[in-house]
Amino acid sequence: MNECYYDKRMDFFYNRTKTDTADEWTGPQLIGVLCFGTFFCLFIFISNSLVIAAVVKNKRFHFPFYYLLANLAAADFFAGIAYVFLMFNTGPVSKTLTVNRWFLRQGLLDTSLTASLVNLLVIAVERHMSIMRMKIHSNLTKKRVTFLIISIWAIAIFMGAVPTLGWNCLCDITVCSSLAPIYSRSYLVFWSVLNLVVFFIMVVVYIRIYMYVQRKTNVLSSHTSGSISRRRTPVKLMKTVMTVLGAFVVCWTPGLVVLLLDGLNCTDCGIQHVKRWFLLLALLNSVMNPIIYSYKDDEMWATMKRMICCSSEDKSQERRSSRIPSTVLCRSTDISGHYIEDGIIQGTVCGKGDLGDKGNS
């Protein structure tokens, strides 16, 4: 019968697998890493909070697609929490961790990845439902969307807890990974292959949907008298989603390949030298997503800009009793699903946008 090592600290497993825990991270290097990580985590928290607030505030975003987009931002926000926890429990600190604390550290990262991945898969299904019916938004009810969001997080939490529930090497240290010294190599193979296969499926599905949209819009454009903006709207939404998916695949695939090589016990692949860079690349994905939303979706950008601008104006009014209101022109809202379906193309003005929204709601 194999002996189990639940009571050991992580230095026992790191020393046995000869895993590099970056003992040289001291002084200026450690301060630099902490400052760099803190800056990006703060950006993740603020930017993704703005995305969620924009979906809640703007009634034109009250559709299944944008609810799921907000949930994806919530997954990125959760990833920021996971990175903060990792940042203060990595390097030379790793060897001092208990088994349970190390499981928590990795479980948070696995949960955030799964939440983003499953959310993108659900968005793919939602886009397929709407596009195949030539609609901008699907007919999913709020109850169904809420159920989907709850299911996404239930699956993510379960997948993040799988190693803690028993698929580990604490009772058979001969099969331990080198990158994750208490994870079983078989689990790393399963985890990485599963995610890479889902990546491939989603890429194929989105390319198929995109080609279908392009073909249909080209056919319908010569037979309809609708606005150019109306015909381009499905393509714009698909470009936004495909850009998000592309960034996700690019940022996470190298790390998953490294985990796969480690699971296959590739001792000559030099994975110890690249693991930190690929982890940083994964961190950048949560930074990039809110930038993609605001750049690709004009209405999202206008709403976020209006919230920031109006907040600044409120603070200025508290300091000065009288002032000349500033007018900030925002970008066109021609991609809004509500306005597209009504055939209305309208710009927004910060400071006057709320009045405009009330007048049109």
Side-chain angles (χ1 to χ4, degrees), residues 22-194:
D23 289 327
E24 71 277 5
W25 280 10
T26 57
Q29 278 188 322
L30 180 60
I31 294 174
V33 169
L34 291 177
C35 291
F36 186 78
T38 301
F39 171 78
F40 277 107
C41 287
L42 285 175
F43 182 84
I44 289 172
F45 292 144
I46 295 172
S47 58
N48 285 287
S49 296
L50 279 173
V51 172
I52 297 171
V55 173
V56 173
K57 181 180 177 63
N58 195 333
K59 292 183 178 180
R60 301 170 198 172
F61 293 149
H62 291 184
F63 294 96
F65 172 79
Y66 286 104
Y67 291 145
L68 294 172
L69 204 65
N71 192 52
L72 187 60
D76 286 325
F77 188 96
F78 184 85
I81 296 175
Y83 290 129
V84 169
F85 190 84
L86 172 66
M87 191 166 52
F88 291 99
N89 291 276
T90 190
V93 181
S94 297
K95 287 186 175 182
T96 67
L97 299 178
T98 62
V99 168
N100 290 334
R101 193 171 181 84
W102 194 93
F103 272 137
L104 176 61
R105 189 189 81 173
Q106 298 304 122
L108 290 173
L109 290 173
D110 294 345
T111 299
S112 65
L113 169 61
T114 305
S116 298
L117 182 62
V118 178
N119 205 95
L120 283 170
L121 187 59
V122 173
I123 290 177
V125 174
E126 191 275 340
R127 287 293 84 198
H128 188 274
M129 291 172 57
S130 59
I131 295 301
M132 293 306 170
R133 296 174 182 175
M134 291 308 294
K135 293 183 178 181
I136 298 173
H137 298 291
S138 64
N139 293 326
L140 287 173
T141 63
K142 288 186 178 181
K143 288 184 178 180
R144 290 182 179 179
V145 174
T146 302
F147 174 77
L148 287 173
I149 291 174
I150 293 174
S151 299
I152 288 169
W153 285 102
I155 294 171
I157 293 171
F158 173 76
M159 292 302 295
V162 165
T164 310
L165 297 175
W167 200 345
N168 55 60
C169 63
L170 292 176
C171 295
D172 187 7
I173 58 177
T174 60
V175 298
C176 286
S177 158
S178 61
L179 289 180
I182 57 177
Y183 275 10
S184 171
R185 288 197 298 270
S186 61
Y187 172 74
L188 290 187
V189 172
F190 162 78
W191 171 257
S192 54
V193 169
L194 175 64

Side-chain angles (χ1 to χ4, degrees), residues 93-337:
V93 181
S94 297
K95 287 186 175 182
T96 67
L97 299 178
T98 62
V99 168
N100 290 334
R101 193 171 181 84
W102 194 93
F103 272 137
L104 176 61
R105 189 189 81 173
Q106 298 304 122
L108 290 173
L109 290 173
D110 294 345
T111 299
S112 65
L113 169 61
T114 305
S116 298
L117 182 62
V118 178
N119 205 95
L120 283 170
L121 187 59
V122 173
I123 290 177
V125 174
E126 191 275 340
R127 287 293 84 198
H128 188 274
M129 291 172 57
S130 59
I131 295 301
M132 293 306 170
R133 296 174 182 175
M134 291 308 294
K135 293 183 178 181
I136 298 173
H137 298 291
S138 64
N139 293 326
L140 287 173
T141 63
K142 288 186 178 181
K143 288 184 178 180
R144 290 182 179 179
V145 174
T146 302
F147 174 77
L148 287 173
I149 291 174
I150 293 174
S151 299
I152 288 169
W153 285 102
I155 294 171
I157 293 171
F158 173 76
M159 292 302 295
V162 165
T164 310
L165 297 175
W167 200 345
N168 55 60
C169 63
L170 292 176
C171 295
D172 187 7
I173 58 177
T174 60
V175 298
C176 286
S177 158
S178 61
L179 289 180
I182 57 177
Y183 275 10
S184 171
R185 288 197 298 270
S186 61
Y187 172 74
L188 290 187
V189 172
F190 162 78
W191 171 257
S192 54
V193 169
L194 175 64
N195 284 280
L196 289 171
V197 169
V198 175
F199 282 2
F200 178 76
I201 292 173
M202 285 196 297
V203 169
V204 171
V205 169
Y206 276 117
I207 291 176
R208 180 177 178 274
I209 295 175
Y210 184 75
M211 293 175 65
Y212 176 83
V213 170
Q214 288 280 42
R215 185 171 65 252
K216 283 293 183 179
T217 51
N218 290 336
V219 171
L220 293 176
S221 61
S222 59
H223 299 285
T224 61
S225 58
S227 67
I228 296 176
S229 177
R230 181 186 177 91
R231 296 196 298 265
R232 290 179 178 175
T233 296
V235 180
K236 284 187 176 182
L237 289 178
M238 285 308 305
K239 284 183 177 179
T240 300
V241 176
M242 291 185 69
T243 304
V244 171
L245 176 63
F248 187 81
V249 171
V250 169
C251 290
W252 280 100
T253 298
L256 291 173
V257 171
V258 165
L259 289 178
L260 177 60
L261 293 174
D262 185 31
L264 296 174
N265 200 22
C266 181
T267 56
D268 299 325
C269 298
I271 55 180
Q272 292 287 349
H273 303 294
V274 297
K275 64 178 183 179
R276 295 185 196 92
W277 298 108
F278 290 160
L279 181 61
L280 177 61
L281 185 62
L283 168 64
L284 289 178
N285 179 242
S286 297
V287 175
M288 293 168 60
N289 281 343
I291 298 175
I292 295 172
Y293 304 150
S294 59
Y295 179 76
K296 286 289 186 178
D297 193 322
D298 294 342
E299 177 70 8
M300 179 70 71
W301 166 250
T303 304
M304 293 170 65
K305 188 175 180 180
R306 189 162 61 248
M307 287 192 300
I308 297 173
C309 177
C310 294
S311 176
S312 300
E313 287 182 359
D314 290 339
K315 292 180 180 179
S316 299
Q317 288 175 352
E318 292 177 0
R319 293 193 300 264
R320 293 179 295 180
S321 59
S322 62
R323 57 188 294 273
I324 300 176
S326 61
T327 301
V328 181
L329 295 178
C330 300
R331 291 188 282 177
S332 172
T333 64
D334 63 332
I335 74 160
S336 166

